[in-house]
Amino acid sequence: MLFTPGCWDRRELEEQAFVEAIGIDQAKNQQMAVTFRISIPAKTGLGQSGGGGGGSEGSQAQKSTLRTTVVAPNVPDAMVLASAYVNRELNLMHTKTIIFGESFAKQGIGSVLNFLSRYREMRRNVIVCVAKGEAHQLIAANAPDLEKSYTRYWEGVMILKGKLGLHPGTLFQNFIASLETADKTGAMIYLAQNAKSRGQDPNDLEPPLSFRKGNLDIKAGEIPRLSGNPVEFLGTAVFKNDKLTDTLNFTETQAYLILNGTYRTGSFNIQDPGNKQNIITLEVKQGTPPMISVDTSEDPVQIREVLSLEGDLIAAEGILDTPDLELLENAFNEHIKEVSLAMLEKLQKKEADLVGYSQYAKRNFLTKQQWSDYAWPQKFKDAEIALNFEFKLRRTGLQGSPPR
């Protein structure tokens, strides 16, 4: 009993450096460049100067953190080497996000996941992302305008997944689960810097051609805008096993979230059935979970999915005094079906079952070996997919007729 109490294994707060974000890039000689965004508790929220690593860093979140990058064979070694000049032991218990550089993600992130999934300090609710270009550059450029800390910033990023459907909002535990079997595909939030965010003249901005039809077919780094935080989070990074294989834009991401039943609410634009020049904006919600059936007795595989959606009319250009609800519902059904099938065709070419139809297909097999021999990725590539959308328009707004 004399040896059970005591503080021999204590870890004082003043002796640790808490990492808020980690960035991982490919370095020379098959090494990795690991970037740490480390909290400076004495400056958190005070907006004082002196945050490290970048002379141009000016937001309060940047000034209350230290940014440093070290090249090492792996993440544990990078933590040890960084401690040699940070003067504290790095601690990952409060890490909020992990960002993989695009080139590193394409080569495979399995070695990093192996460490992170085993390390006792790594929480399973960490946000995982892929950055266009290099992760260390994106971490350096990320300057939150409204938040005093990066922790609060990333919490806001996750909230917008449910409210607007901007990205898949993947957590570390979700991505690890997607890699447990070879037939599943993982996804991460797609990040990018906007090169034109520093501009001053709106006339220098060129809106995408898809905007003419009301389609927001863009992803992070492509938003036509001026000023603000140069970092954007919009779209989905698609993985096959542990390698980045493709990306989805905003519209495709919304369709993906609807098909796998994780969509909550967001807005869609459709062309007015009575006048193709006018755009109608709908706020769409997922009514009930999707109903999915997969028939593996046929060749090709037959996939059927029924989706129930509902929504409100929130904006319209030149709409009639009394809108034809059925006409609008049918127009939206056709629009979302077209977008979804195009997105699925894109995934099929990559043999990436991102929606998760494999979970319904494997129910038709008695043993794990039978399912493994079936080779689902190849079957999914040639599968015939039928989607049936049932959209109901609940409200048309507070004003019946447009103002004169």
Side-chain angles (χ1 to χ4, degrees):
M1 294 296 293
L2 295 176
F3 297 99
T4 54
C7 347
W8 60 271
D9 60 344
R10 71 186 185 277
R11 303 176 70 187
E12 299 292 346
L13 294 177
E14 293 80 3
E15 299 174 356
Q16 301 177 69
F18 293 99
V19 178
E20 295 186 359
I22 302 174
I24 302 176
D25 295 304
Q26 190 66 41
K28 293 182 178 180
N29 300 326
Q30 298 181 339
Q31 304 298 298
M32 60 177 65
V34 184
T35 301
F36 300 104
R37 177 68 80 173
I38 303 171
S39 175
I40 305 177
K43 296 182 179 180
T44 300
L46 298 180
Q48 300 178 12
S49 60
S56 62
E57 298 187 336
S59 72
Q60 292 191 7
Q62 289 176 315
K63 292 175 179 177
S64 63
T65 57
L66 165 70
R67 173 177 53 85
T68 183
T69 301
V70 60
V71 175
N74 50 50
V75 176
D77 289 341
M79 295 174 62
V80 172
L81 296 178
S83 299
Y85 58 89
V86 172
N87 196 34
R88 289 189 182 185
E89 178 188 5
L90 267 62
N91 188 305
L92 305 185
M93 293 184 63
H94 295 284
T95 301
K96 201 65 179 179
T97 184
I98 302 172
I99 304 173
F100 296 96
E102 191 172 22
S103 60
F104 183 84
K106 288 181 178 179
Q107 295 183 16
I109 61 176
S111 59
V112 176
L113 296 178
N114 184 44
F115 161 71
L116 296 177
S117 61
R118 296 174 181 270
Y119 194 51
R120 64 188 182 280
E121 292 180 357
M122 180 56 59
R123 298 185 180 184
R124 293 303 178 102
N125 60 351
V126 174
I127 306 167
V128 287
C129 314
V130 169
K132 181 180 180 180
E134 301 293 326
H136 71 92
Q137 295 177 349
L138 185 134
I139 290 177
N142 190 12
D145 300 306
L146 303 180
E147 308 298 345
K148 296 181 179 180
S149 71
Y150 283 102
T151 297
R152 183 64 187 90
Y153 168 81
W154 288 109
E155 289 175 353
V157 170
M158 289 299 293
I159 291 174
L160 291 177
K161 182 253 180 173
K163 292 187 175 181
L164 300 175
L166 300 179
H167 53 74
T170 309
L171 299 179
F172 182 67
Q173 60 188 8
N174 305 132
F175 190 81
I176 289 295
S178 70
L179 300 181
E180 292 178 350
T181 58
D183 52 81
K184 298 180 69 176
T185 303
M188 290 188 183
I189 302 173
Y190 186 67
L191 308 174
Q193 293 186 62
N194 192 315
K196 295 184 178 180
S197 63
R198 303 289 185 184
Q200 302 294 329
D201 188 356
N203 294 321
D204 294 336
L205 301 177
E206 188 68 31
L209 296 177
S210 64
F211 280 22
R212 297 179 182 179
K213 296 183 179 180
N215 297 329
L216 303 182
D217 296 340
I218 58 174
K219 51 191 173 184
E222 301 175 356
I223 299 176
R225 66 183 178 97
L226 300 177
S227 68
N229 187 354
V231 172
E232 299 171 357
F233 43 92
L234 186 68
T236 302
V238 182
F239 281 76
K240 185 177 180 181
N241 298 323
D242 68 331
K243 296 181 179 180
L244 176 67
T245 183
D246 210 340
T247 57
L248 303 180
N249 61 37
F250 176 40
T251 304
E252 293 169 335
T253 296
Q254 286 182 302
Y256 152 60
L257 295 176
I258 290 175
L259 293 181
N260 77 351
T262 59
Y263 188 82
R264 291 182 59 187
T265 183
S267 63
F268 278 85
N269 293 328
I270 61 172
Q271 293 178 310
D272 187 343
N275 185 348
K276 298 297 184 179
Q277 301 299 320
N278 295 331
I279 301 299
I280 296 175
T281 303
L282 305 171
E283 184 180 60
V284 179
K285 304 175 184 178
Q286 191 127 25
T288 59
M291 299 175 60
I292 301 175
S293 63
V294 180
D295 186 359
T296 56
S297 64
E298 300 287 339
D299 192 13
V301 175
Q302 304 294 310
I303 300 176
R304 302 287 182 269
E305 184 169 5
V306 179
L307 300 111
S308 176
L309 304 172
E310 59 183 43
D312 305 332
L313 192 157
I314 59 176
E317 298 177 354
I319 196 170
L320 300 177
D321 292 354
T322 305
D324 189 330
L325 300 187
E326 184 176 356
L327 190 63
L328 294 179
E329 291 170 351
N330 292 335
F332 176 77
N333 286 332
E334 294 177 3
H335 171 75
I336 190 62
K337 182 177 180 179
E338 179 182 355
V339 170
S340 300
L341 289 176
M343 183 272 299
L344 288 172
E345 182 179 357
K346 182 177 180 179
L347 294 177
Q348 285 181 287
K349 292 179 180 179
K350 299 290 185 177
E351 298 183 3
D353 179 16
L354 189 61
V355 177
Y357 293 124
S358 63
Q359 301 306 301
Y360 299 86
K362 65 174 54 176
R363 299 174 183 177
N364 301 326
F365 298 84
L366 295 177
T367 65
K368 182 178 180 180
Q369 188 60 46
Q370 288 179 346
W371 171 246
S372 179
D373 295 340
Y374 187 68
W376 171 254
Q378 290 75 29
K379 297 292 184 180
F380 173 72
K381 182 178 181 180
D382 301 320
E384 293 183 355
I385 304 177
L387 304 177
N388 182 19
F389 288 91
E390 300 175 355
F391 174 70
K392 293 296 181 182
L393 193 59
R394 301 301 184 187
R395 301 175 182 86
T396 58
L398 300 177
Q399 183 163 323
S401 59
R404 300 298 186 219

